[in-house]
Amino acid sequence: MQAAEGKGAGRFAPSPSGDLHIGNVRTGMLAYLWARGSGRRFLWRDEDLDRVRAGAAERQLAEFRALGVRIDGAPVAQSARTAGYADACARLEEAGLVYECFCSRRDILAAPSAPHAPPGAYPGTCRDLDEGQRAQARERLRSQGRSPALRLRTDGGERTVGDEVRGEVTARLDDLVLRRGDGVWAYNLAVVVDDGEMGIDQVVRGDDLASSAPRQAHLAELLGLPVPQYAHVPLVLGPTGQRLAKRDGAVTLAQLAGTGFDLWAWMGESLGFGPWTGLDDALAGFDPARMVREPVVFDPDANACGAHARSAMTSR
């Protein structure tokens, strides 16, 4: 389906830290199918604020273009957008919603958690320090060659957002990091600012990020940005039942080339549609309402040929 002029957009926003494995590819293709199937534009963003490997961004985009994906406009790099993140943080600070945090990761893990908070959640240690305590903490970090992080002040309440796959996602709002102690803008701030300013109103991504949606929706509203529609899709797992990773073996498209592995057939079957023959077939047959809602297992050792690759998929 051709994207309608003036309509919203979906996106794929990989981190260029290395080559994508087929679970990442499947999620990106779902974002594309969802966007095109709803008449939206499809945008590409490189989330390159951290862990960048030379050439990875170009290879990732080239693989998707080889699969027939057409992006609207030029790819966007987060590293070129830091002024916008600084402006958003300044507006939050003017509203009294930003404070310095002097805690290390070890400090946070060792601190008592608030009731009902998930393990490792920030307990608010630095939220209500007075100016004298903050000055002392700044000097302590300065002597260690460190700087404070910046956090968003919240009330710790729960927030629920709608999700086209999961129905609803509820999570407790925490004082998320806006800028890390090393000066790098944090993922949650960058993704909210980018999605809002790029006109992205549909976010399709792996369901390991579902718990981030309520806090991102809250942050978007604080910044006066629209909250997108979320669809958190099931992950591809490795043979041990853990999230698929490169340590599991041949899992990238380059590694699978020449093995007889049929990516389109595997993607269609793994999502419950039966084998696809290519992008046109996928666009014609994709229906979010019929999509498998459970994670699937991919065993690289079973991929000596295409038939084994497809029969290796099992619902968890």
Side-chain angles (χ1 to χ4, degrees), residues 295-314:
V296 292
V297 175
F298 178 79
D299 185 353
D301 291 337
N303 285 313
C305 66
H308 287 152
R310 292 192 292 273
S311 65
M313 303 308 304
T314 57

Side-chain angles (χ1 to χ4, degrees), residues 22 25-26 67 250 252-253 255-271 274-279 281-282 298 302-313:
I22 60 169
V25 173
R26 190 181 82 147
L67 293 171
T252 69
L253 295 188
Q255 291 170 331
L256 291 164
T259 66
F261 176 71
D262 187 332
L263 175 68
W264 286 110
W266 170 78
M267 281 198 293
E269 288 201 344
S270 73
L271 293 164
W276 286 331
T277 59
L279 180 57
D281 191 23
F298 178 79
N303 285 313
C305 66
H308 287 152
R310 292 192 292 273
S311 65
M313 303 308 304

Side-chain angles (χ1 to χ4, degrees), residues 184-272:
V184 175
W185 294 105
Y187 164 77
N188 282 302
L189 176 66
V191 73
V192 167
V193 171
D194 288 342
D195 286 347
E197 294 184 354
M198 294 171 68
I200 292 164
D201 65 348
Q202 181 188 79
V203 172
V204 178
R205 60 189 181 186
D207 63 9
D208 56 326
L209 293 172
S211 63
S212 296
R215 63 172 66 96
Q216 290 172 5
H218 175 67
L219 182 53
E221 290 175 344
L222 291 177
L223 291 169
L225 298 172
V227 176
Q229 297 176 6
Y230 292 105
H232 289 93
V233 299
L235 298 179
V236 178
L237 307 179
T240 64
Q242 301 299 310
R243 193 167 125 181
L244 186 68
K246 293 169 189 175
R247 63 176 175 271
D248 291 316
V251 295
T252 69
L253 295 188
Q255 291 170 331
L256 291 164
T259 66
F261 176 71
D262 187 332
L263 175 68
W264 286 110
W266 170 78
M267 281 198 293
E269 288 201 344
S270 73
L271 293 164

Side-chain angles (χ1 to χ4, degrees), residues 117-130:
Y122 183 66
T125 307
C126 300
R127 183 186 295 136
D128 297 317
L129 298 180
D130 61 34

